[in-house]
Amino acid sequence: MPAARERARAIPEAAVARLAVYLRVLSGMAEEGVSTISSEELAAAAGVNSAKLRKDLSYVGSYGTRGVGYDVDVLISEIERILGLTRKHSVAVVGIGNLGHALANYGGFPSRGFPVAALFDVDSDLMGVPVGGIPVEHIDDIEAICREREVNIGVIATPPSVAQDVCDRLVSGGVQCILNFAPVVLGVPDHVEVRKVDLAVEMQILSFHVARRADEALAEVTVDGTRPGVGEAVVGR
């Protein structure tokens, strides 16, 4: 539907990320038998303010009912549609080390509509060994197997030195989206979407927030050298 496609293209990326959070919260509530929810309740559960939530939900064409709130099942369906979760997806994981092994066994993928269809590595000891019920194949077979199994999402959990080669093979196999855990920037054609997950960078961001809060605490030190509510002098100040 052209109107739906145009609406999807207009959604900011930050809002897309929040929609995925809302979907997770709503799915949990549906499992508990909750049928309706107010914007304030959903916002609190998702960790955002209600005004931002209402703006995000307006992108999917859902405004709720005044005095009643949102129908949980309807809202789940609308968010799943806008996120493309009503379409068929198949996932391939490349690099079956500790991280790749954990990803291959992660039950959250199939339960959310992302079944793992193929696993790849170069270790001869892993060839044919099932991980999460899927036998490991050699990376030389990426193109053929991805096309045969209609894989459209690739997960790269390899060392950085081989990540670009693996990426090229996935793209040649028809993969349209790549989730990259390797600490390297990948070059891809314009029609391929890449999401990079760098755990070290995430830790550095957390370190920044810890340091900022520590600096803010120091800035609250009063003129007489004590912190409000603590009553202890700060040595050297």
Side-chain angles (χ1 to χ4, degrees):
M1 295 181 291
R5 287 196 295 269
E6 287 300 321
R7 190 163 61 240
R9 278 194 285 265
I11 303 176
E13 188 166 336
V16 173
R18 291 193 294 270
L19 286 174
V21 174
Y22 304 152
L23 179 58
R24 183 189 66 206
V25 172
L26 289 165
S27 297
M29 291 181 171
E31 291 175 358
E32 295 175 0
V34 177
S35 59
T36 59
I37 187 171
S38 68
S39 58
E40 289 77 12
E41 290 170 331
L42 180 53
V48 301
N49 64 62
S50 57
K52 180 174 291 185
L53 178 134
R54 286 192 291 268
K55 174 65 174 177
D56 292 340
L57 295 185
S58 72
Y59 289 119
V60 303
S62 180
Y63 297 90
T65 302
R66 183 178 297 275
V68 176
Y70 297 93
D71 183 295
V72 171
D73 289 337
V74 170
L75 191 50
I76 287 174
S77 297
E78 291 179 342
I79 296 177
E80 286 181 337
R81 175 177 49 79
I82 209 72
L83 293 180
L85 298 178
T86 55
R87 303 181 182 184
K88 178 183 177 182
H89 295 290
S90 293
V91 179
V93 179
V94 187
I96 312 302
N98 291 334
L99 176 58
H101 196 280
L103 293 171
N105 278 298
Y106 176 51
F109 284 156
S111 68
R112 289 179 170 84
F114 300 95
V116 176
L119 305 175
F120 301 98
D121 204 280
V122 295
D123 188 343
S124 58
D125 291 337
L126 290 176
M127 297 302 102
V129 176
V131 178
I134 306 294
V136 178
E137 315 277 355
H138 197 278
I139 65 168
D140 289 344
D141 298 322
I142 285 178
E143 292 96 326
I145 291 177
C146 283
R147 289 194 179 280
E148 175 188 337
R149 301 179 188 176
E150 299 182 329
V151 172
N152 55 9
I153 298 176
V155 179
I156 298 178
T158 67
S161 59
V162 299
Q164 184 63 59
D165 176 63
V166 166
C167 175
D168 294 341
R169 291 172 185 264
L170 288 169
V171 172
S172 295
V175 172
Q176 302 168 356
C177 300
I178 293 173
L179 182 62
N180 177 32
F181 284 90
V184 63
V185 176
L186 299 175
V188 296
D190 290 340
H191 71 278
V192 176
E193 183 73 21
V194 176
R195 297 285 297 179
K196 189 174 187 300
V197 181
D198 192 322
L199 299 180
V201 168
E202 297 301 323
M203 289 295 185
Q204 290 164 356
I205 293 171
L206 289 175
S207 173
F208 163 79
H209 289 293
V210 170
R212 184 181 64 179
R213 288 175 182 175
D215 290 343
E216 290 173 349
L218 285 175
E220 292 176 357
V221 175
T222 59
V223 176
D224 63 357
T226 61
R227 296 180 184 178
V230 177
E232 294 182 352
V234 177
V235 177
R237 291 182 68 89

